[in-house]
Amino acid sequence: MAPESATGKPKNKLSSILGRYLRPGSSRTPSCSASSNPSTAHQVMHQHREDSVETAWKSTEVALRVLEKSADAFPPLKSAVAGLVACLDLAKNVTGNQEEYIKLAEEFIQMDGNLKPYASQLAAAGGGGIIAVTLESIDEELGKIKRQLARGKFKRTLEATDDQSDILARYRKIDSLFRHLLTHVTFSTHDEIGKATKETLLRTLTPVDDARYNSAYSTVVKRRGCTISTREQILDDLRTWAKDPAGSKVFWMNGMAGTGKTTILYSFCEWLEENKRLASNFFCSRALSSCRDLHNIVRSIAYQLAHYSPTFRLQLCKVLEEKQNPHMLNVGEQFKWIVAIPLENSKDAIPDGAVIVIDALDECGDASVTALFLKVLMSYATHLPIKFLVASRPEPVILKNMQAPDFSPSVLRLHDIEQSLVEADIRLYLQEVLSTMSPTPTSDVIDQLTQRSGKLFIYAATVARYVNPVDKVVNSKSRLDAILGISSSSASLQEQELDKLYTTILLSAFDRDNFEEEELKVAALVLRTVICAIEPMTTSTMSMTLALRQEDVVSTLSKLQSVLHVQDGLSGLVSVLHASFPDFLLNKARSREFYCNAVEHNATLAHLCFDMMSKELRFNMCDLESSYDFDEDVPDLERKIKANISAALLYACKYWSNHLLHCDLTSSIHYRLVEFLKFRLLFWMEVLNLTKFISMGSQMLSDTLAWFIRKAPDHIFNETEKELYDADLFVKTFSLGACKKSTPHIYISALPFCYKSNSVYQNYWSKTNGLVVVNGTSLTQQRNGPIGVWKTFSEVCTVVFSPDGRTFASGCENGVLHIRDIQSGEIVFSFLPEDKESIISMVFSPDNSKIAAGSRNGNIWIWDIQTASLIAGPLNIEGRGVKALAFSWDSRKLVSLYSDSTIVVRDLFSGKVLSGPFETKELWNSGPLIFTPDDSDVLLVSNHGMVHILDAHSGSALAEPFEVINEEAGELLSTASISPDATMVAVGYEEGTICIWDVHAQTMIHGPFVGHRARVSALAFSSDSKKVISGSQDRTIQIWDVNTGRVMAGPFEGHTDTICSLALSSDGTKIISGSNDQSVRLWNVFSNESNIALPCQSVTGHVRTVAWSPDGQWIASGHAGTVAVWSAQNGEAVIEPFRHSWSINSIAFSPDGSRISAGTWDRAVVSWDLRTREMVGEPFQGHSNVVNSIAYSPDGSIIASGSEDCTIIIWDCSSVVNGRGLAAGFAATVRMIGNRFRHKDEVNSVAFTPDGNRLVSGAKDGSIYVWNVHTGQIILGPIKGHKGSIYSVACSPDGTHFVSGSGDRTLCIWSMTTGKMTVEPFHAGHRGSVYSVAYSRDSTKIISGFNNGTILVLDAETGNILTSIAGHTSFVESTAVSPDGSQFVSGSYDKSVRVWQLDILTSPKLLRNAPTIWMPKDIVAAAPSISDIARYHDGGWVAQDDMHLFWAPPEFREDLCYPYNPITIGPQGTTRINYSLSRLFIGRMWSKCWKYGHQDSLKFQ
């Protein structure tokens, strides 16, 4: 607050500022005393204000004179300041709003002080660019003030309020311009620091230099400005718009083909550049791929803006440094980060009238991206300190976006301009371009040509190129006569004039009297190829593709130079000069004999593409030296690509599918397609991956499959369909994963991990050698595994597909929302709320333009996904989680359902509440909801199983709610989904069943569908309401036929926790799922029997216990209610699993190998005969609680069981006869021996000593006892040392020691004689609790399993770590050593059983003699240890430092075999991998993996 004077009023703030500038003796603000006379007081106050104004302006004048003096070295600034001083002098007698003038004077003084130190920098910067524009604008404003002040009756004029306000506004404008100047020079000074670094950073934007209006390429395509004195009115209008601060931010110049848009913009760019207003420009061109890619527009605009404004450059570089590759995002995100944000942050430095020019937007290839770009532009333009000029044809997609209701650009329609004005300009143009003819055309001839041109400049330009070409000698007179000889039509049918002109040109080029028939065929082939090519070809590419001599192609093109353009130089890029020419040729009624049949010629080009690939594709296309390297790290890769991948081959690889889609299926096409899939698919993938086009590969195959099915009804080519499907799956898995970073891993990684039933594996595996061999039941039959997995590091609450199927979104507990591209898996949009509140509901709008998300905290956000901009939000009803969201079918409204049953309907664009909140208590904690198809009602399902139909406007019930559960029968609803047509409700129940209910009939119409083993946790309908997809707590996904209840696909397995949310793509080919396992997974779906996963014996639950048979042949595992027996040689099941009604906690083989026994949750000990596969007698019953551990005595005569009832029972097994079986009556004679051994707490583990006379036991209270087996007496104990529960005990085979593992994270080794610890306890630290312990057969090592999945092998004497083994992902509950001591098996809560080579893992010598792919040769040659083994990384790579050894697809990562872990048995079956390095071709030897000389084509049958 300002200090107060003696009168109690604040002092004039200006006085303190002016004191620094007033010379001694200068006038000061007079003091005024109060007066009792009001009139006198008023006069005094009025005089005081006038004195204050005069003092302020004098002080300002002094300060500006000092600045003027400082600017001697820079005349433009000196002149501007002098002009301002002069205007101040003229305005001394200004009256009116004196407070405003005082404030303005204060701001001038402040500006002066800030700008003065930079006067010399301005001089050094020169008078160009933004500085010149700013000073010019200052001069313009000063001129206007001078003219206004100099008008007659000066005093009276200025007393007019409007004039006073106007002059004041202009002074403020001048102050603003000086501040622009200050901002610019300040940033320019700072920008000089690190300028080279910034330029390097800016070049990462990869701007397209060819797209600039006056680039070298513009000369090649004969782009030019308007002929002098033509299009003057249009150019004047554009200049006026650019200069007008109040003018529209966007100017759209549109016109039909040939109206001269590009020429006008060329001239306008010249004027803008001359006047320092051309901020950036991009001239699109269909003829050049880089100039028709809309993603390049934003990058190029940003790059040019950075060179136009140093301030913008600093802001842009800041974004590029802080955000990872923002220029690689979608167009909306690109514009936001590299144009909009830097512009907004540098708005004070951008001069008025700066313009960005974009020409020929209609020539960009992707209509959807064009729409997105315009939407982005319109949404940001009004807020940016710059103007945009866009020129295009009035194409529907552009017209629609330019006519958006919330924004109106300035519009000029060239084809609506008065005919006489256009004719005058065309006449001038024709006079100029034909003036070099001899003889020069007469005025009458020019008039005729002008009349025929109508409003189409392209007609005049085509005539000029045909009649009087610049670079070729022709008979101009005869050509002109031919044009004039065409009979004229009415001016209203101008298209006919153009058609006749094109026909005349083609008749000349295809003159049958002058050319041989073969020449004419070549010419037709070349012309149609130019028209049908997906992107323009060079003459070289075209000659290679068409198998023609290049000189023949060039010769043909020379005859068509008036309608086609051939770029000069080596590239020789061929393109049409104007879009009207293809329109003419592709219309049979217009082009007649020259008609280009697109279907037929696309078939020709498809043949040629296949032929080109057959000819040039080969293994290791670019001679890559090592499979260890990522492509980006390969030296000189660009040169290798250029040398080995011709432009013709790249064209064929990128576009063969596009040509197929536009032709019919013939036997010849079918043959080439099959040959490609069988022999060249992997080489094609090499080309796409090396050139960064691999993400389009899967889309090409998907499109081809859809085309093939459409063209081959009734699936008459089932084998080819499967080939295409399998190839698509293979390519998709590769392109969605990190494997694509290294091209050699198409062979090194992707192929070995391909299912044996996949056509790609069957076609290519036999052509390779020296690759990792992956076998086992997990790969025998293709299963429904995920093709993409993304870790979210938080539980996934909701997933959803976009309606067009191109993207999918996920929302997580940690608040992260991601939208990913379906082809590449890359994030295209992300959001994180400030307080990281959980995203629990999401929905895309039906028109695919918006996404809404709701949080657990009650916030709702709505984004435009095309522009990546927030439309509304956060919209909040505090304390109420947003359980469900739904868009209306017209995408204009959003209904939200909150956790307290509140329903709200909002306007989508404003976020305004349209109806509600409706509060219905009986809807508490409701589930899904949807608008009915007419958007009038809302249908929803409560978690209590009630279905409600409510009026969307009033919230009133339109029908009685009905129930979809039967509480009396014990049914509990777990999840529900509503069909898109709002006619059905799918209900999932706690017991794992699914039912379908009819909304109108209020009855169950289908079900129950039975298939899941646990609670149904997620449901979703297909877009056609014919299928329902379900996810369960059993971690599987299934697709059901709604009408029949038949499983159409599944189970899809891979998640490791409950599935929370599901979505099926609109075309039904993909599933997206989110789970509590903190992952989002993408699955492929194909409508044939291959989606029904065949049964395969596997691990069915958490592995609680493992055992190794005495003869070393078998391994057993206990999980859930199953005891499985596997071959120790290959890991495959040897017998059907033994099943029990309760979970299995512990298993043990009898010493003779005839039986296997188990301790169970139902308090029993159960035994099975391994020969007969039958249960032996009845279960041993005696415990009153869970049996946690069992053990056979060494002679097999007794079994000890430890239980949670705190007791140990010794069971008599002496009825075994000679180890061949059980005597009759065994069940009746089974008995306990002696009394129970009693602990004070639950017994978790028991183990016999080798002599069978003693038993060691460990309990939950941390106590250990050693018992006399025969008498039941305690020999040692209670032995104390642990502070937590004892989970496992084991006795050394030599009988001298025993070991214990505990929940207190320690492992202790004890003397069997004294019960004392022989070494200090081993502390597990971060590894957590010790769940399992076992001795090696020679008693020298201890194998221990830990809570975090680690396995340690310890020296039994010292307790030192011999090796640490990573592989399991959850706690290791059990370990067992093979009889020969060379291996051990581990079982884990992660549902896997793994076999490990104990001898190799603990011996450096054996490690050196048994190298694997996990241990590169240079390490093996030294003294290797287990720490030298490569590590598995997120994303699937196994790498050692920067050497990338191999990559595993998502579906195999959990079952991946690790080094010296030859067998893994998991939920998907058995996996065996031979990693032996001696047999592998990897690293620098990788190129030897391909067998040359194989059959490479099909034989005709």
Side-chain angles (χ1 to χ4, degrees), residues 485-530:
I486 303 172
S487 60
S488 180
S489 60
S490 65
S492 62
L493 301 176
Q494 289 182 21
E495 192 177 76
Q496 292 183 18
E497 290 290 351
L498 197 57
D499 291 354
K500 290 172 183 176
L501 175 61
Y502 284 146
T503 301
T504 300
I505 293 169
L506 293 175
L507 283 170
S508 174
F510 290 84
D511 187 351
R512 295 184 180 276
D513 295 333
N514 294 324
F515 301 106
E516 297 290 338
E517 191 65 29
E518 191 61 32
E519 290 180 282
L520 295 176
K521 288 182 180 179
V522 169
L525 180 62
V526 170
L527 177 60
R528 288 165 184 163
T529 298
V530 174

Side-chain angles (χ1 to χ4, degrees), residues 378-440:
M378 294 305 180
S379 66
Y380 280 107
T382 54
H383 312 298
L384 298 178
I386 208 157
K387 293 186 174 185
F388 295 86
L389 171 58
V390 180
S392 73
R393 290 203 226 181
E395 300 289 352
V397 65
I398 300 176
L399 188 64
K400 177 183 176 181
N401 284 278
M402 284 295 187
Q403 293 178 343
D406 52 343
F407 186 83
S408 297
S410 298
V411 178
L412 172 63
R413 298 177 178 85
L414 292 178
H415 48 273
D416 289 344
I417 296 174
E418 188 178 335
Q419 176 82 21
S420 60
L421 294 175
V422 181
E423 282 187 358
D425 288 343
I426 290 178
R427 182 180 289 105
L428 284 172
Y429 167 76
L430 287 169
Q431 285 174 346
E432 179 189 297
V433 296
L434 299 181
S435 63
T436 58
M437 280 181 60
S438 181
T440 304

Side-chain angles (χ1 to χ4, degrees), residues 1114-1228:
W1114 292 349
I1115 294 167
S1117 59
H1119 28 86
T1122 301
V1123 175
V1125 183
W1126 318 92
S1127 165
Q1129 281 67 51
N1130 61 27
E1132 296 183 13
V1134 293
I1135 56 176
E1136 286 294 313
F1138 301 114
R1139 302 194 184 279
H1140 189 67
S1141 56
W1142 289 79
S1143 181
I1144 306 296
N1145 289 337
S1146 178
I1147 58 174
F1149 281 97
S1150 63
D1152 65 358
S1154 66
R1155 304 185 306 281
I1156 190 167
S1157 299
T1160 69
W1161 269 76
D1162 61 344
R1163 302 166 294 188
V1165 176
V1166 185
S1167 297
W1168 293 273
D1169 189 298
L1170 290 167
R1171 296 182 179 88
T1172 66
R1173 312 320 192 229
E1174 300 293 333
M1175 184 186 293
V1176 178
E1178 294 297 322
F1180 303 174
Q1181 300 286 352
H1183 287 291
S1184 60
N1185 209 331
V1186 175
V1187 177
N1188 284 329
S1189 179
I1190 65 167
Y1192 270 97
S1193 63
D1195 63 2
S1197 63
I1198 58 175
I1199 294 176
S1201 59
S1203 167
E1204 290 186 10
D1205 65 5
C1206 308
T1207 69
I1208 299 168
I1209 296 177
I1210 306 298
W1211 305 90
D1212 181 14
C1213 296
S1214 60
S1215 51
V1216 176
V1217 179
N1218 297 326
R1220 292 193 297 271
L1222 298 179
F1226 170 81

Side-chain angles (χ1 to χ4, degrees), residues 610-624:
F610 282 127
D611 291 346
M612 175 60 61
M613 291 190 291
S614 176
K615 177 183 175 183
E616 293 201 6
L617 285 176
R618 61 178 175 84
F619 172 73
N620 196 8
M621 285 294 305
C622 288
D623 302 319
L624 301 178

Side-chain angles (χ1 to χ4, degrees), residues 1309-1430:
I1309 303 171
W1310 313 85
S1311 167
M1312 186 68 75
T1313 306
T1314 66
K1316 302 294 184 182
M1317 272 189 275
T1318 59
V1319 294
E1320 288 296 315
F1322 174 82
H1323 292 276
H1326 69 277
R1327 301 177 186 90
S1329 301
V1330 186
Y1331 278 103
S1332 61
V1333 290
Y1335 270 97
S1336 63
R1337 295 299 175 185
D1338 62 4
S1339 301
T1340 62
K1341 306 176 190 72
I1342 296 170
I1343 299 96
S1344 52
F1346 293 84
N1347 183 72
N1348 70 344
T1350 300
I1351 298 171
L1352 294 182
V1353 181
L1354 306 177
D1355 185 299
E1357 183 177 350
T1358 65
N1360 294 333
I1361 297 174
L1362 297 176
T1363 187
S1364 175
I1365 304 168
H1368 288 293
T1369 57
S1370 188
F1371 42 92
V1372 180
E1373 295 218 52
S1374 182
T1375 53
V1377 180
S1378 64
D1380 66 2
S1382 65
Q1383 297 177 296
F1384 72 91
V1385 62
S1386 58
S1388 169
Y1389 196 79
D1390 65 9
K1391 299 184 181 179
S1392 74
V1393 174
R1394 294 178 181 272
V1395 176
W1396 306 88
Q1397 293 174 282
L1398 177 62
D1399 51 356
I1400 298 177
L1401 284 165
T1402 55
S1403 169
K1405 181 179 179 181
L1406 292 178
L1407 276 174
R1408 185 164 54 252
N1409 294 331
T1412 80
I1413 190 174
W1414 291 68
M1415 190 177 291
K1417 281 189 174 181
D1418 56 343
I1419 292 175
V1420 173
S1425 68
I1426 197 67
S1427 62
D1428 294 316
I1429 289 178

Side-chain angles (χ1 to χ4, degrees), residues 419 423-424 426-428 430-431 434 441-456 459-460 463 467 479-491 494 497-498 501:
Q419 176 82 21
E423 282 187 358
I426 290 178
R427 182 180 289 105
L428 284 172
L430 287 169
Q431 285 174 346
L434 299 181
T442 64
S443 179
D444 288 342
V445 168
I446 296 294
D447 286 344
Q448 286 184 59
L449 295 174
T450 300
Q451 184 179 5
R452 294 186 181 203
S453 297
K455 295 181 182 180
L456 300 182
Y459 183 97
V463 166
V467 171
R479 290 193 173 196
L480 180 57
D481 290 343
I483 297 297
L484 295 173
I486 303 172
S487 60
S488 180
S489 60
S490 65
Q494 289 182 21
E497 290 290 351
L498 197 57
L501 175 61

